[in-house]
Amino acid sequence: MTDEIERLRAEMARATPTPDPARRAENLRLAAKNFDALQGTPDMARPTEARLVWGRLADGVTKMIDRISRRGAMIATTALVAVGAFVVLPTSTLMLQDRGSEYESFSTELESLSGSSHGLGGVMSMESSAPQAATRSRMSDALVVEDSMLRPRAPLGVVTDIAPPIEADTEAFANADTNPLKSVLEEPVSTFSIDVDTASYSVVRSSLTRGQMPPRDAVRIEEMVNYFPYDYAAPEGDVPFQPTVTVLPTPWNADTELVHIGIQGALPTTEDRPPLNLVFLIDTSGSMQAANKLPLLKQSFRMMLGELGPDDQVSIVTYAGSAGRVLDPTPASERATIEAALDRLEAGGGTAGQAGLQQAYATADEMAEDGEVTRVILATDGDFNVGLSDPDALKDFIADQRDSGTYLSVLGFGRGNLDDATMQALAQNGNGQAAYIDTLSEARKVLVDQLTGALFPIANDVKIQIEFNPATIAEYRLIGYETRALRREDFNNDRVDAGEIGAGHQVTALYEITPVGSPAVRIDDLRYGTSQVTVTSDEIGFLRMRYKTPGESQSQLIETPVMPGQGNVSDDIRFSTAIAGFGQLLRDDSYLGDWGYPQAIALANGARGEDAFGYRTEAVTLMRLAETLDRN
């Protein structure tokens, strides 16, 4: 028996490859590269049951290997067979979470088990002895688990230099072609609906901080400009908002000017605000499992609860496969009850968006009382993949509901399957606003710092119309608001829906204008038209605004002329202009000439002002990131 053991040991020694430091280093490099690539799987990957099962299996294998490593007397071949039969390489399990000590520890463990100095690369190397090759041939049908799928791979042990495929990106963004330059002689009137949404800026920030330029359609310039607080003149008297008009030189074109329109909404005191009825409509479908989705959503809503008053009420409706109410209307003072309901939420199932909306509106109707504000807050990654999923159909459904007086706001979470088009359709037609929450800091901004404006409307169906004077202005273009364009006749039609202004909100709009006789004029006169203008006024244009007081069906009108050199060019004006330029750079706009990121950064840096919350400093950092990414 002793002779047989000695003979077996000798055969094993002959079969063991001679240590090769160069090959070991190369194999470890490849293993580390594949490990890094696997760890780079984006957070939008959706976990599946298979992933969870194989994750648990990997944990078990790790523990098994650990037990084996402690049995020093065991024959090395037993350990090799155990490793060969059970090693699984998931991209998102705990086996190799840490890229430093855990990786080295795992590599060392395999070295000790195999009796080889090749480390992790040695165990997986193609070029080794016949006994090892024979072992690998019996594992040719092994599976490697990758985030949301199980797929057959080449024989286990083959190290490739190619990163694994990433789950398809299904994001869809709502936008339109950049507003064109228009001739004042041919089309002197511009009409659009205001917008206080801020989702685009947060999506841009999310992309840039992940090292990616944002999709062009994700950049809505008006939402980037309106992300920041500005100190515009407050309204006086009973009017809900006050427009401030400023005319200034264009930073990117010395031969044109900007007409800057800033609107400041009135901010009533907290004591004067009416009771609030909130229905949290929460997406708990399977796509919401990622840490930046349902877990972040729960944290965000907990922060919001602290801002509610004792007369406010909260209810929670969820949807995933089917809809249901998980919290009946509850006074906001019963915070522990509300938080317990949030804590019980788990992600899983399909996305029955239509059923969820129907249940939420029914709950809101049950809670509503005269003189109170009732609002549904939809929190989702936008993946409406079951039920009424077409944006136009959803738009019609929400439009039918808004006359009830219940507002709808939409909060987006997560990336990868963010359906921005659906979110915009819901918010724009639900008398509410859309925001995208990618961090707890953004949750605080939207749901704490700006909660009053987000939840309490002061003006509905706000429309802007400006008529330019052909005697002084040859051309103009509206910067942003592509998805908010209205027809000229819509301005006086009170049945046409438009945007809302919340308490204390600021709204900004910018036009680039080309004076008559400027070398920047691009559009030739019509051959059969007329260039004769009888208007003698020095006005640049005439601004009109329409709005409805909440609960009323007839609009009111505000009018004011726009004069050359009007207004004071403050830091707020300059900074908002820098952000408008930044947005155009991200959309690769053709109107900026040689003006680029360095100029945008310099303009924003010089106009940061007090910057109490650091938003403007962050914007400059994002500009620098974009400059670097765009250059590479």
Side-chain angles (χ1 to χ4, degrees):
M1 184 65 176
T2 302
D3 292 340
E4 287 296 318
I5 292 176
E6 291 298 326
R7 185 179 61 79
L8 179 60
R9 286 176 177 170
E11 289 179 355
M12 287 178 60
R14 287 193 298 272
T16 302
T18 302
D20 184 346
R23 178 168 294 280
R24 177 179 184 274
E26 176 62 13
N27 286 334
L28 281 173
R29 184 192 69 80
L30 290 177
K33 183 171 183 179
N34 278 280
F35 170 71
D36 287 341
L38 294 174
Q39 294 302 306
T41 302
D43 56 12
M44 58 274 213
R46 295 175 229 169
T48 61
E49 287 299 318
R51 177 183 171 186
L52 296 175
V53 169
W54 282 93
R56 289 193 291 270
L57 174 60
D59 283 341
V61 171
T62 304
K63 294 174 182 176
M64 177 178 176
I65 293 175
D66 184 57
R67 287 196 299 271
I68 292 174
S69 68
R70 292 190 179 95
R71 299 175 63 180
M74 204 163 211
I75 298 176
T77 51
T78 305
L80 280 171
V81 171
V83 174
F86 292 107
V87 167
V88 180
L89 300 177
T91 64
S92 301
T93 64
L94 298 176
M95 184 179 288
L96 293 179
Q97 271 189 335
D98 184 77
R99 301 186 181 195
S101 60
E102 288 291 325
Y103 176 83
E104 292 298 330
S105 174
F106 186 60
S107 175
T108 304
E109 185 74 1
L110 290 180
E111 284 188 33
S112 66
L113 289 172
S114 65
S116 167
S117 61
H118 291 262
L120 182 59
V123 172
M124 296 184 179
S125 174
M126 281 289 289
E127 299 178 20
S128 56
S129 63
Q132 290 173 320
T135 301
R136 278 194 301 274
S137 69
R138 291 192 295 271
M139 298 183 283
S140 60
D141 295 327
L143 292 177
V144 176
V145 182
E146 293 185 4
D147 277 329
S148 61
M149 66 193 77
L150 290 173
R151 66 177 65 210
R153 290 288 292 258
L156 184 65
V158 177
V159 174
T160 67
D161 207 11
I162 302 174
I166 295 174
E167 183 175 329
D169 190 325
T170 61
E171 292 185 333
F173 295 96
N175 215 327
D177 292 339
T178 299
N179 287 324
L181 189 68
K182 295 185 178 181
S183 166
V184 175
L185 281 172
E186 298 171 30
E187 194 172 347
V189 179
S190 171
T191 310
F192 65 98
S193 163
I194 64 96
D195 187 6
V196 295
D197 294 346
T198 60
S200 179
Y201 180 84
S202 300
V203 171
V204 166
R205 177 181 59 206
S206 171
S207 295
L208 291 174
T209 54
R210 291 164 55 187
Q212 302 169 347
M213 292 294 285
R216 186 178 185 274
D217 281 344
V219 181
R220 290 186 290 271
I221 297 173
E222 71 279 5
E223 294 185 20
M224 296 184 64
V225 172
N226 288 328
Y227 179 86
F228 301 90
Y230 304 108
D231 188 19
Y232 298 145
E236 298 178 358
D238 296 332
V239 294
F241 59 86
Q242 172 71 39
T244 298
V245 180
T246 307
V247 179
L248 66 152
T250 304
W252 48 84
N253 191 335
D255 298 316
T256 66
E257 295 178 325
L258 294 178
V259 175
H260 183 287
I261 304 169
I263 300 172
Q264 175 65 58
L267 182 61
T269 62
T270 304
E271 295 75 19
D272 293 336
R273 77 166 176 81
L276 180 65
N277 301 311
L278 289 180
V279 180
F280 293 162
L281 175 55
I282 299 177
D283 182 352
T284 54
S285 61
S287 64
M288 291 290 289
Q289 292 190 59
N292 62 348
K293 295 187 179 182
L294 186 58
L296 177 59
L297 183 157
K298 292 180 182 181
Q299 292 175 299
S300 301
F301 279 177
R302 285 193 195 98
M303 295 171 65
M304 179 184 181
L305 293 176
E307 301 303 305
L308 302 181
D311 295 330
D312 300 331
Q313 288 191 95
V314 172
S315 181
I316 299 177
V317 174
T318 64
Y319 62 96
S322 61
R325 192 160 83 181
V326 299
L327 179 69
D328 291 332
T330 303
S333 56
E334 298 182 18
R335 182 166 177 174
T337 301
I338 301 171
E339 289 186 341
L342 285 171
D343 288 340
R344 289 193 295 269
L345 300 182
E346 294 183 357
T351 315
Q354 178 188 9
L357 285 169
Q358 291 170 335
Q359 179 71 62
Y361 274 112
T363 301
D365 185 61
E366 177 185 330
M367 299 169 70
E369 298 285 347
D370 289 341
E372 299 181 347
V373 173
T374 303
R375 185 179 293 269
V376 174
I377 299 181
L378 168 60
T380 177
D381 61 359
D383 189 11
F384 280 64
N385 54 21
V386 176
L388 194 59
S389 56
D390 178 67
D392 290 334
L394 281 169
K395 173 180 174 179
D396 293 340
F397 174 76
I398 296 300
D400 290 340
Q401 300 294 324
R402 67 174 175 236
D403 292 337
S404 67
T406 298
Y407 294 81
L408 172 68
S409 292
V410 183
L411 303 179
F413 290 83
R415 295 294 301 273
N417 60 328
L418 184 68
D419 190 346
D420 174 79
T422 298
M423 291 172 56
Q424 291 293 317
L426 292 172
Q428 290 187 13
N429 291 277
N431 281 5
Q433 64 182 99
Y436 172 72
I437 295 179
D438 55 338
T439 64
L440 270 180
S441 295
E442 184 65 16
R444 177 178 175 82
K445 177 179 183 292
V446 174
L447 299 177
V448 177
D449 298 339
Q450 299 175 350
L451 181 66
T452 301
L455 299 182
F456 295 96
I458 59 173
N460 292 343
D461 294 338
V462 183
K463 306 169 187 175
I464 293 180
Q465 185 173 84
I466 186 166
E467 178 184 355
F468 289 101
N469 180 1
T472 57
I473 303 302
E475 300 166 349
Y476 70 90
R477 68 183 182 98
L478 175 60
I479 301 175
Y481 290 95
E482 283 84 1
T483 64
R484 289 287 194 167
L486 295 175
R487 296 171 300 184
R488 181 175 176 179
E489 62 268 28
D490 290 340
F491 183 75
N492 292 320
N493 186 350
D494 285 346
R495 299 183 63 183
V496 174
D497 183 57
E500 284 68 42
I501 294 180
H505 266 155
Q506 298 103 20
V507 184
T508 302
L510 295 100
Y511 282 92
E512 183 174 4
I513 58 173
T514 308
V516 170
S518 168
V521 172
R522 297 190 182 191
I523 301 174
D524 293 332
D525 291 338
L526 293 172
R527 177 180 177 87
Y528 302 108
T530 175
S531 59
Q532 304 236 344
V533 177
T534 58
V535 180
T536 58
S537 170
D538 291 334
E539 294 175 357
I540 286 175
F542 197 74
L543 174 66
R544 301 179 180 92
M545 301 183 67
R546 282 199 176 275
Y547 71 94
K548 296 175 187 172
T549 300
E552 296 185 0
S553 58
Q554 185 172 351
S555 67
Q556 301 182 53
L557 179 65
I558 296 175
E559 296 179 311
T560 183
V562 180
M563 304 300 297
Q566 181 172 338
N568 263 333
V569 184
S570 64
D571 281 345
D572 285 335
I573 304 295
R574 283 190 288 267
F575 185 82
S576 60
T577 300
I579 296 299
F582 178 33
Q584 292 175 88
L585 288 169
L586 292 175
R587 284 179 64 85
D588 196 21
D589 203 296
S590 61
Y591 294 102
L592 298 183
D594 295 331
W595 196 83
Y597 288 108
Q599 291 78 19
I601 291 167
L603 181 58
N605 256 333
R608 280 189 294 178
E610 184 180 350
D611 195 21
F613 299 103
Y615 300 145
R616 299 186 182 189
T617 300
E618 177 191 65
V620 172
T621 300
L622 295 181
M623 290 179 185
R624 295 185 188 281
L625 280 173
E627 179 185 24
T628 302
L629 292 170
D630 191 52
R631 187 168 57 233
N632 295 333

